[in-house]
Amino acid sequence: MMEMHSTSKQSGPLWEPSAARRQASRLGAWLRRLQREGVLPPPHPDGDDSHYGDDCYETAWRWSVEHPEQFWPAAAEALGIAWSTPPSTTLAPTPDGEPGSFLGTRWWPGGRISYTRQALSGAGQPGDSVAVLARSQTRPAEDLTWDQLRDLVERVRFGLEAAGVGPGDRVAGYLPNIPEALAALLAAAALGAIWTCCAPEMGVAGVLDRLAQVEPAILIGVDGYRYGERDIDRRTEMEAIRQGLPTLRSAVWVPYLRTEAAAPDGWTSWDELTATPGHGTPPAEVAADHPLYILYSSGTTGRPKAIVHGHGGIVHEHAKALAFQFDVGPGDRLFWYTTTGWMMWNFLVSGLLVGAAVVLFDGNPSWPDADSLWALIEDTATTCAGLGAASLVAAEKAALHPRQAHGLTRLRTLGSTGSPLPAAAARWVYDAVADPDQPDLMLASFSGGTDVCTGFVGPSPLRPVWAGEISCRCLGAAVEVFDDDGRFVVDEEGELVLTAPLPSMPVGLWDDDDRRRYREAYFERFPNVWAHGDRMTLTDRGTCIITGRSDGTLNRGGVRMGTAEFYDVVEAFDDVADSLVVHVPDAEGGNGELWLFVVPLAGSSVDDRDLADRLKRALRTDLSPRHVPDHVVTVAAVPRTLSGKKLEVPVKRILAGTAVDDALTLASVANPDSIDAIVAARARR
């Protein structure tokens, strides 16, 4: 078993930014300017700004959340965000709202802005420089310059407009991570229409659960795709989706898998949609809270929430996060492994807002071998890459050594999201990815959600990286931790909350005019405070430790235990690839049962009883006797959502006796066959 270290006993950080990295970062340069202008105090009494970091960032964060009316206009100016009509103020109460109220607050009233205009401006990048690098296992590599991207968007916009699309109409995609999806988003937004998308690996039922809610006017989809060596035909699904959406005025067929095939009857071809060059009409300028796109909650325990995001909030929040937290700007190349059905796709393509070229990848990340994504990062000269935490854990388990196998000298930031990153995987990054001769690789853990389409807590080029921890609270995000009574706590696990509005909070949920469902989703736990549903510890050094979902927290004998600490111990075993832990309460008030499901590492020879004994000993020693599971079950796979999150709550409900169809929606499960092992375990109790 690999050695485990408690985060509270670490001897020092894994990484500290060099003085050169701090000085060269976009955030560092901006904060130095604010210090010179007297907006922020200098880092030292003598005014020397050559050395700054933690204290400077904490001061800036405090200013950003206590004075949003100063912070957001200053950030917008630094980031080149332009309004066609300036807003009258940054924050104002709605006519029926109260000052300081989340739901009664409107951002940038009176202002007019365009996500598409801001994205296609490219932060002044030359028109013949690369804006999009598309890599796919279905067709050859393709690069688009900024001018070519603008032309494609104008063509799609003209085609949509000719089909009758106008402001407020919904344009839906059933598309992988390819340029057509990006162009369709930007074209729809340019018309004031609303984009929404499902990835083509989702089945018909899951797609209709989402798209039918919002009644789209246009559907754009692919005939299939290639995943590694397998061709995935989606022609039947495409037609079933078209038939299941009675509000469609037109459906557009993208011949992605079969490039020479004609569009079937009832469909318009992509070539026909884009046949006419645009006329250079500027994108529509809309109110800050005009809907830009609709994202969906996982839908694993009921109908997915349709979450509406606005132009102004997304432009400001994404530009701020990318530039100041991830240190991305003009000339950078941004890659994140994602599908179009996950909010990280929306975050990825917003790299255009800050002048970065975006790398789009569609395919099997483990084909033809386990380090394919590292080869992609090398091939595209990516400077900021993002992977799911599970991918980094898998790479560590497979003993990959990307630094030796690939030229990664341009990689300055490596992002991680989707679930807490174990300390062992973080240490692996600095052992196997970072170059000791070029030590300024920032590991950028990021945690937030679809609800806000961003992260609340994340990286900073001014702050150290500690194993198993997230570096800081993001600028502009008034993140705190509450105990059960709504009191602020530090160095104690509690509920992650927002105590003040964030620009990218949803402008609403679809078909929720009285905002009842919005209130129920976020504001029932604490009055006028956004409770996100994550458990977190805010350390005394300002770092953040996400310990799991609130509804997945283990409560044994009245003592709460986060799932992340279990995974740190269990997944540190060399012969464990994945795991899932749940607690099933006792109806009579006893301790209940703690279940641990374990996936052995592929190719390892594991004796189930021996593994269970070793795991129990480690959990008892590294955590406590309370953490020792009652049942350790070896399974082939852990159930996960389509975006890769572990399905702790539905598994808990199944083990408690809930029927599978009542516990979750199988169409929202990435690997539905994995549920069979859970049901079998329940039957053996």
Side-chain angles (χ1 to χ4, degrees):
M1 193 183 95
M2 296 176 62
E3 183 183 3
M4 287 298 300
H5 298 279
S6 166
T7 54
S8 63
K9 298 178 181 178
Q10 295 183 55
S11 59
L14 292 174
W15 174 81
E16 291 191 74
S18 65
R21 177 77 191 254
R22 289 183 172 125
Q23 292 279 356
S25 69
R26 297 192 71 182
L27 178 59
W30 183 50
L31 295 188
R32 287 199 305 277
R33 195 184 87 187
L34 293 176
Q35 290 163 349
R36 289 194 297 270
E37 294 172 353
V39 177
L40 294 178
H44 296 288
D46 61 5
D48 179 13
D49 65 0
S50 61
H51 301 285
Y52 57 91
D54 281 11
D55 293 344
C56 181
Y57 183 87
E58 186 65 21
T59 299
W61 176 82
R62 186 71 56 189
W63 168 66
S64 76
V65 298
E66 292 180 352
H67 300 284
E69 75 288 350
Q70 298 175 17
F71 169 76
W72 287 105
E77 189 273 332
L79 296 167
I81 296 172
W83 296 88
S84 60
T85 301
S88 58
T89 187
T90 299
L91 277 165
T94 58
D96 57 349
E98 298 180 3
S101 165
F102 270 84
L103 293 173
T105 296
R106 188 178 185 191
W107 287 91
W108 302 295
R112 310 287 287 184
I113 197 168
S114 167
Y115 178 90
T116 300
R117 172 179 50 76
Q118 194 70 37
L120 292 181
S121 72
Q125 290 292 92
D128 60 356
S129 63
V130 173
V132 179
L133 299 94
R135 301 295 183 265
S136 165
Q137 292 168 358
T138 306
R139 64 185 179 196
E142 177 185 17
D143 293 348
L144 296 176
T145 66
W146 288 94
D147 284 343
Q148 289 170 330
L149 177 60
R150 294 180 188 114
D151 176 69
L152 178 59
V153 171
E154 286 197 12
R155 288 173 179 272
V156 178
R157 172 186 173 165
F158 185 90
L160 293 176
E161 197 168 24
V165 174
D169 285 334
R170 277 73 68 204
V171 177
Y174 188 56
L175 294 166
N177 188 7
I178 57 177
E180 288 89 339
L182 171 57
L185 159 62
L186 295 173
L191 292 168
I194 308 167
W195 174 249
T196 191
C197 192
C198 294
E201 63 264 25
M202 183 176 284
V204 173
V207 173
L208 293 180
D209 277 348
R210 291 158 174 77
L211 299 188
Q213 292 186 59
V214 303
E215 301 179 314
I218 303 290
L219 172 67
I220 305 173
V222 292
D223 61 339
Y225 57 94
R226 184 166 293 117
Y227 191 78
E229 296 178 314
R230 293 190 300 133
D231 286 355
I232 311 296
D233 192 329
R234 279 294 183 254
R235 290 173 295 182
T236 301
E237 287 79 2
M238 281 268 283
E239 182 59 26
I241 293 167
R242 184 175 78 93
Q243 295 293 339
L245 297 172
T247 57
L248 291 178
R249 299 175 205 153
S250 180
V252 179
W253 188 272
V254 179
Y256 182 50
L257 184 60
R258 300 167 184 81
T259 57
E260 302 302 321
D265 291 343
W267 292 81
T268 298
S269 72
W270 176 260
D271 285 347
E272 184 178 349
L273 178 77
T274 60
T276 305
H279 303 305
T281 306
E285 302 287 336
V286 296
D289 57 2
H290 184 84
L292 168 61
Y293 41 62
I294 300 170
L295 306 181
Y296 302 93
S297 63
S298 64
T300 52
T301 57
R303 190 172 79 152
K305 294 195 299 286
I307 302 166
V308 185
H309 290 287
H311 281 246
I314 291 297
V315 166
H316 283 75
E317 172 57 35
H318 283 188
K320 178 268 299 181
L322 286 163
F324 293 156
Q325 310 295 156
F326 285 88
D327 200 23
V328 173
D332 277 316
R333 293 187 172 184
L334 173 65
F335 164 68
W336 210 285
Y337 177 66
T338 179
T339 73
T340 55
W342 188 21
M343 60 138 285
M344 291 308 301
W345 183 81
N346 303 76
F347 189 78
L348 162 65
V349 300
S350 282
L352 300 174
L353 295 171
V354 295
V358 295
V359 179
L360 311 181
F361 171 72
D362 175 46
N364 181 344
S366 300
W367 185 87
D369 47 52
D371 71 344
S372 291
L373 289 183
W374 301 102
L376 172 76
I377 292 168
E378 176 185 24
D379 171 66
T380 55
T382 290
T383 57
C384 177
L387 304 174
S391 295
L392 293 175
V393 170
E396 178 228 338
K397 295 287 184 184
L400 298 185
H401 211 292
R403 183 180 71 240
Q404 292 181 354
H406 302 285
L408 304 176
T409 55
R410 282 182 53 84
L411 185 65
R412 295 184 297 111
T413 301
L414 180 62
S416 170
T417 194
S419 58
L421 183 68
R427 287 191 287 270
W428 171 84
V429 167
Y430 285 97
D431 289 340
V433 181
D435 188 339
D437 295 327
Q438 295 177 302
D440 259 349
L441 176 68
M442 177 174 70
L443 176 59
S445 291
F446 194 46
S447 183
T450 301
D451 318 75
V452 290
C453 201
T454 189
F456 301 115
V457 296
S460 167
L462 306 184
R463 301 211 61 186
V465 172
W466 296 80
E469 303 179 14
I470 299 177
S471 294
C472 59
R473 295 175 281 187
C474 292
L475 297 174
V479 173
E480 299 289 353
V481 176
F482 277 9
D483 66 13
D484 290 345
D485 296 320
R487 295 173 298 206
F488 296 92
V489 293
V490 175
D491 275 333
E492 179 181 326
E493 184 187 299
E495 293 289 326
L496 186 161
V497 300
L498 279 181
T499 59
L502 185 71
S504 65
M505 288 167 49
V507 298
L509 303 181
W510 192 260
D511 195 24
D512 184 38
D513 293 341
D514 62 2
R515 313 201 90 180
R516 177 184 59 82
R517 289 190 292 124
Y518 197 163
R519 288 186 181 89
E520 290 174 352
Y522 308 111
F523 298 103
E524 281 200 333
R525 181 74 193 276
F526 304 109
N528 199 37
V529 169
W530 173 293
H532 190 61
D534 279 344
R535 299 286 293 178
M536 189 179 96
T537 299
L538 177 65
T539 73
D540 60 1
R541 57 173 168 251
T543 60
C544 307
I545 304 171
I546 303 293
T547 50
R549 292 292 295 168
S550 302
D551 50 11
T553 297
L554 313 172
N555 191 332
R556 199 169 205 196
V559 178
R560 280 182 166 169
M561 301 179 291
T563 56
E565 60 186 352
F566 273 86
Y567 300 140
D568 275 350
V569 174
V570 173
E571 294 175 16
F573 277 67
D574 292 333
D575 44 7
V576 173
D578 203 359
S579 64
L580 182 145
V581 63
V582 297
H583 179 254
V584 181
D586 182 348
E588 298 180 358
N591 282 339
E593 293 181 320
L594 196 60
W595 289 77
L596 175 62
F597 295 91
V598 179
V599 180
L601 190 68
S604 63
S605 178
V606 174
D607 178 272
D608 291 354
R609 178 167 295 184
D610 173 68
L611 177 60
D613 289 344
R614 289 188 287 124
L615 287 168
K616 288 179 179 181
R617 284 197 300 270
L619 288 165
R620 181 183 296 275
T621 302
D622 291 357
L623 298 178
S624 80
R626 287 186 182 275
H627 291 77
V628 177
D630 299 288
H631 309 281
V632 179
V633 182
T634 300
V635 294
V638 162
R640 290 183 178 269
T641 67
L642 292 170
S643 60
K645 292 181 171 58
K646 298 180 182 183
L647 285 168
E648 294 165 345
V649 175
V651 168
K652 174 180 174 178
R653 296 184 66 201
I654 292 169
L655 291 171
T658 303
V660 171
D661 289 345
D662 294 331
L664 79 171
T665 303
L666 285 173
S668 298
V669 181
N671 49 353
D673 291 347
S674 64
I675 300 298
D676 295 342
I678 308 300
V679 175
R682 180 181 69 183
R684 292 194 298 269
R685 287 177 65 184

